[in-house]
Amino acid sequence: MAIGGVVTDLDVGDILGPVEYTLSPFVVREYCHAVEMHQDCFQSADDLIMPPTLIHLDKLRLYNHACPGGTGPTARIHYEYDAEVFAPVRVGDRLSVSGEVKERYTKKGREYVLMEMQLKRIETGELLVRYLDQVILAYKAKEEKAA
Amino acid sequence: MAKEPMTPITLQPGTELRTRPRAMTRERMRWYVDAQPTIAADDGRIHTQPPTIHDDDDYARAQGLPGIIADGMISTNWIQGLLVDVFGPQFACRSRLKTKYIAPIYENQVVTACARVQTVTQNENGDTVYTLEVWCEDDSEKKLTVGSAMVQLPA
């Protein structure tokens, strides 16, 4: 178990969270503004809806909670995003997010970590979003790999 | 303000959808960098964070990169924005989006988000299910981000 250290130490079987929070309108609007999604459902509607990609920032929420030492010695590179939405998430919803490190492996000299996350509605336990996130722990250029 | 989706949606397999080309400027990369601590704080104010590979050339070079690169989630969000424009809020209600970052996106590289309808089917509830190939390409049509999407529209 590598919980309590830095992100680059995370290993298979590590459980992150759960972390609970309430989705705020500020968060939805700010995120969508930053990535130029100006549709009414994210900016102007009375009942704003969570853009599915916002689950990615829940990963940082989990990292901050489980790895107080920070990122570690190297910058991560995001490699793969895979999110499935089962039901809409709306502003005001009380949510619980958790993660589990499913794989950690080396391929072509690069170290990969795969984490599965689940976002649930606290009130009912309903699974709202399942997210598979894959990162490379440290960037290595092709020339370096060949060396 | 973005347009609401066309209704009814009558896309056929092979239909291709594209955003306008956008330059991945330093400012666009920075917006995403700043959004992360701002959202984490959730106090209505803008926050910044220490240097990252997405906003600081020196830090990026120290990590083995030639300079800053865009966060992959920006291209994923540009694809998602295209799909929301086409399918509406339902894309945030019952859907799947999978993207893989196969090439870094550098400062000022021109990026277009694209989608091509692969299948249109109806499930047992009568819902219409679209599957799509999705990608981002530069102005030489080199693919930078690739993936797939699904959206389920209620009957």
Side-chain angles (χ1 to χ4, degrees), chain A residues 24 36 38 53 81-82 85, chain B residues 1 28 77 80 95-96 99:
Chain A
S24 76
E36 300 170 79
H38 304 302
T53 39
Y81 165 95
D82 182 2
V85 181
Chain B
M1 192 63 65
R28 283 182 157 121
N77 273 295
Q80 180 175 258
S95 65
R96 185 170 186 174
T99 52

Side-chain angles (χ1 to χ4, degrees), chain A residues 22-24 26-27 30-31 33-44 49-54 56-57 60-61 64 71 73-90 130-132 138-141 144, chain B residues 1-4 20 22 28 31-32 34-36 38-40 42-46 53-54 59 63-66 69 71-74 76-78 80-82 84-85 88-89 91-102 104 106 150:
Chain A
T22 301
L23 185 66
S24 76
F26 174 78
V27 161
E30 187 63 21
Y31 187 81
H33 181 60
V35 294
E36 300 170 79
M37 289 194 299
H38 304 302
Q39 293 88 351
D40 283 350
C41 59
F42 302 134
Q43 295 289 351
S44 305
I49 200 164
M50 183 186 102
T53 39
L54 194 48
H56 184 74
L57 293 198
L60 305 183
R61 209 184 279 267
N64 290 338
T71 298
T74 55
R76 293 182 308 277
I77 302 272
H78 196 192
Y79 178 60
E80 194 166 322
Y81 165 95
D82 182 2
E84 186 167 11
V85 181
F86 300 99
V89 185
R90 298 185 186 280
R130 180 173 55 223
Y131 176 38
L132 294 169
Y139 178 81
K140 280 187 181 178
E144 290 173 319
Chain B
M1 192 63 65
K3 293 178 181 175
E4 290 300 322
R20 63 186 168 83
R22 278 177 277 192
R28 283 182 157 121
W31 295 342
Y32 195 77
D34 290 348
Q36 294 170 42
T38 298
I39 284 168
D42 194 13
D43 61 2
R45 304 181 68 86
I46 302 299
I53 57 173
H54 308 304
Y59 182 77
Q63 295 291 322
L65 292 158
I69 61 171
D71 191 307
M73 286 305 295
I74 299 177
T76 294
N77 273 295
W78 287 5
Q80 180 175 258
L82 170 63
V84 174
D85 278 342
F91 192 77
C93 298
R94 184 68 185 94
S95 65
R96 185 170 186 174
L97 177 59
K98 184 174 182 177
T99 52
K100 184 182 291 187
Y101 313 112
I102 60 172
Y106 296 105
M150 177 280 292

Side-chain angles (χ1 to χ4, degrees), chain B:
Chain B
M1 192 63 65
K3 293 178 181 175
E4 290 300 322
M6 301 171 291
T7 52
I9 294 171
T10 55
L11 301 175
Q12 300 298 317
T15 301
E16 193 168 303
L17 310 151
R18 304 171 73 85
T19 62
R20 63 186 168 83
R22 278 177 277 192
M24 187 63 78
T25 59
R26 184 166 289 255
E27 291 77 16
R28 283 182 157 121
M29 294 191 217
R30 180 83 206 198
W31 295 342
Y32 195 77
V33 169
D34 290 348
Q36 294 170 42
T38 298
I39 284 168
D42 194 13
D43 61 2
R45 304 181 68 86
I46 302 299
H47 295 260
T48 59
Q49 59 178 318
T52 76
I53 57 173
H54 308 304
D55 68 343
D56 187 290
D57 286 312
D58 290 340
Y59 182 77
R61 290 189 195 104
Q63 295 291 322
L65 292 158
I68 60 170
I69 61 171
D71 191 307
M73 286 305 295
I74 299 177
S75 59
T76 294
N77 273 295
W78 287 5
I79 291 169
Q80 180 175 258
L82 170 63
L83 296 172
V84 174
D85 278 342
V86 174
F87 295 105
Q90 189 61 24
F91 192 77
C93 298
R94 184 68 185 94
S95 65
R96 185 170 186 174
L97 177 59
K98 184 174 182 177
T99 52
K100 184 182 291 187
Y101 313 112
I102 60 172
I105 299 177
Y106 296 105
E107 185 177 2
N108 294 328
Q109 200 164 0
V110 173
V111 178
T112 302
C114 310
R116 184 183 296 119
V117 177
Q118 289 188 312
T119 63
V120 185
T121 58
Q122 289 201 316
N123 66 16
E124 63 278 9
N125 299 322
D127 300 337
T128 302
V129 180
Y130 288 86
T131 64
L132 305 101
E133 174 189 7
V134 299
W135 72 96
C136 282
E137 64 183 32
D138 68 9
D139 52 1
S140 69
E141 299 184 1
K142 176 189 175 186
K143 288 187 175 177
L144 309 163
T145 301
V146 296
S148 59
M150 177 280 292
V151 58
Q152 187 173 314
L153 304 181

Side-chain angles (χ1 to χ4, degrees), chain A residues 72-144:
Chain A
T74 55
R76 293 182 308 277
I77 302 272
H78 196 192
Y79 178 60
E80 194 166 322
Y81 165 95
D82 182 2
E84 186 167 11
V85 181
F86 300 99
V89 185
R90 298 185 186 280
V91 160
D93 284 348
R94 284 284 298 154
L95 303 168
S96 172
V97 63
S98 60
E100 181 178 356
V101 178
K102 292 290 190 179
E103 290 184 53
R104 178 169 177 148
Y105 62 96
T106 303
K107 184 178 175 183
K108 297 182 179 176
R110 289 175 173 167
E111 200 159 7
Y112 293 77
V113 173
L114 171 69
M115 182 164 73
E116 179 179 337
M117 290 169 45
Q118 294 190 347
L119 182 69
K120 295 182 177 179
R121 192 185 314 280
I122 290 174
E123 189 179 33
T124 60
E126 177 186 13
L127 177 62
L128 301 168
V129 182
R130 180 173 55 223
Y131 176 38
L132 294 169
D133 171 84
Q134 197 158 183
V135 298
I136 300 170
L137 284 181
Y139 178 81
K140 280 187 181 178
K142 288 179 179 174
E143 297 80 354
E144 290 173 319

